[in-house]
Amino acid sequence: VSSIDGLPTPALLLDLDILERNLERMAARAAALGVRLRPHLKTHKCVEVAALQRDRGAAGVTVSTLYEAAVFADHGFDDITWAFPVILSRVEEAIELAARIRLGLVIDSATAVDALASCHPGGEPLRVWLKVDCGYHRAGVAPDSDELLALPRAIASADNLHFAGILSHSGHGYDAIGRPQMQAIAEQERAVMVDAAQRIRDAGVPVPEVSVGSTPAMSVVDSLIGVTEARPGNYAFYDYTQCLLGSCEPEDCAVSVLASVVSRMPGHSVVDAGALALSKDPGPERSAAGMGPVHAEDGLTLDPDLHLTSLSQEHGIVSRPLPVGTRLRIQPNHSCLTVACFDEYQVVRRGEVVDRWKIWRGR
Ligand SMILES: Cc1ncc(COP(=O)(O)O)c(C=O)c1O
């Protein structure tokens, strides 16, 4: 145990009390909504955090890269969905991993189904999910397309494949303004997915699972009838973007970047946290806090107008001149991208550093 004021900067702080509260709240929410929780681990990339989620009832986990899948498999997580359209040049690696654990793969094209159908898993059939576009328009088959029925049929008729179900991500929730708009997006996702599942069933293909998920939608949704699991990720830490969206309160943000002023200029100061500590996510357009709000070292507000105005690789520009050596805490606009800049968390409980946890950020 040591104190925060002894830490070299930049450092990534993780507040354990806040983390545990966030995990408990989402676990309770999923239980109340009658869905299993399969948290997305890309937010934290940390075995210790995933273990806390599993202790609170998470049924399987979600990852965004095959590297994450392999790391968590090596640490005893044996039910993993790789929630990313399968990368054809990595199918062999995926098959090797699927021989060890219950691995879910995601497709949204006939090309990917053909590639999987022509491989030889050698054991259990590969578990394949169909990604459905629930309104975000990033990836997934359109719910009114012929592919919605054709791809499940193709999967179900391949001996080496098992149709696991349909999966969506309501990322357009990040553009919502206000709770009613967010609720409408969450309900749209549910309705699109439940209707899509019904049409696939009517076409003669069983749909065991209907999986939805994003942190904004999960924080406001009233009903998930017809859905079997949810995959939020960011809720473990939240961030300034989620505060502006209304998914959380500022006191729910579990990670921050501890930084020091290294240069004082007439109109600003420079800290040792640039784009490679915070990422360049600008947050929602309506953010007045630029690249992130800045607090005192103890996390308390110094001045509501103090924020990062811009970032270069290692320099962060703070909106006011401050004495060299001043230690500050920056609240990230996007915790997932910020975490991916660091090798470890400084785990903090009530102002003391109590542990260090590795961030598995390889590719
Ligand atoms: C496919 C998929 N599922 C789930 C999530 C988790 O969403 P969130 O980070 O809003 O919790 C993401 C996030 O990007 C995603 O891409």
Side-chain angles (χ1 to χ4, degrees), residues 77-205:
F77 292 82
D78 59 3
D79 182 356
I80 301 179
T81 302
W82 179 21
F84 192 85
V86 69
I87 304 173
L88 298 187
S89 56
R90 290 191 180 264
V91 166
E92 286 306 317
E93 277 171 73
I95 289 171
E96 278 171 32
L97 190 55
R100 291 206 272 140
I101 60 157
R102 191 171 192 254
L103 179 70
L105 301 176
V106 171
I107 59 91
D108 68 359
S109 69
T111 309
V113 176
D114 290 347
L116 295 178
S118 61
C119 68
H120 302 285
E124 296 272 299
L126 286 175
R127 300 177 55 76
V128 184
W129 292 80
L130 174 68
K131 173 113 186 191
V132 176
D133 178 6
C134 68
Y136 182 23
H137 306 322
R138 180 176 70 179
V141 301
D144 57 356
S145 65
D146 295 342
E147 291 161 302
L148 182 84
L149 305 181
L151 297 184
R153 273 198 195 111
I155 295 166
S157 63
D159 292 341
N160 62 338
L161 306 182
H162 166 75
F163 182 53
I166 59 174
L167 170 150
S168 62
H169 169 57
S170 47
H172 51 320
Y174 283 88
D175 297 325
I177 298 172
R179 196 180 170 91
Q181 224 180 69
M182 181 64 72
Q183 276 172 325
I185 288 171
E187 170 53 20
Q188 173 200 23
E189 179 177 30
R190 188 201 69 82
V192 164
M193 294 301 281
V194 170
D195 180 63
Q198 193 52 50
R199 281 188 294 128
I200 298 168
R201 289 178 185 129
D202 291 346
V205 180

Side-chain angles (χ1 to χ4, degrees), residues 40 42 83 131 138 169 174 213-216 231-234:
H40 207 313
K42 76 187 177 72
K131 173 113 186 191
R138 180 176 70 179
H169 169 57
Y174 283 88
S214 70
T215 291
R231 309 178 323 280
N234 183 278

Side-chain angles (χ1 to χ4, degrees), residues 48-76:
E48 288 84 350
V49 178
L52 293 177
Q53 290 172 312
R54 189 172 49 190
D55 293 346
R56 285 158 183 76
V61 297
T62 308
V63 298
S64 53
T65 68
L66 211 44
Y67 173 83
E68 289 168 359
V71 164
F72 285 94
D74 289 347
H75 286 86

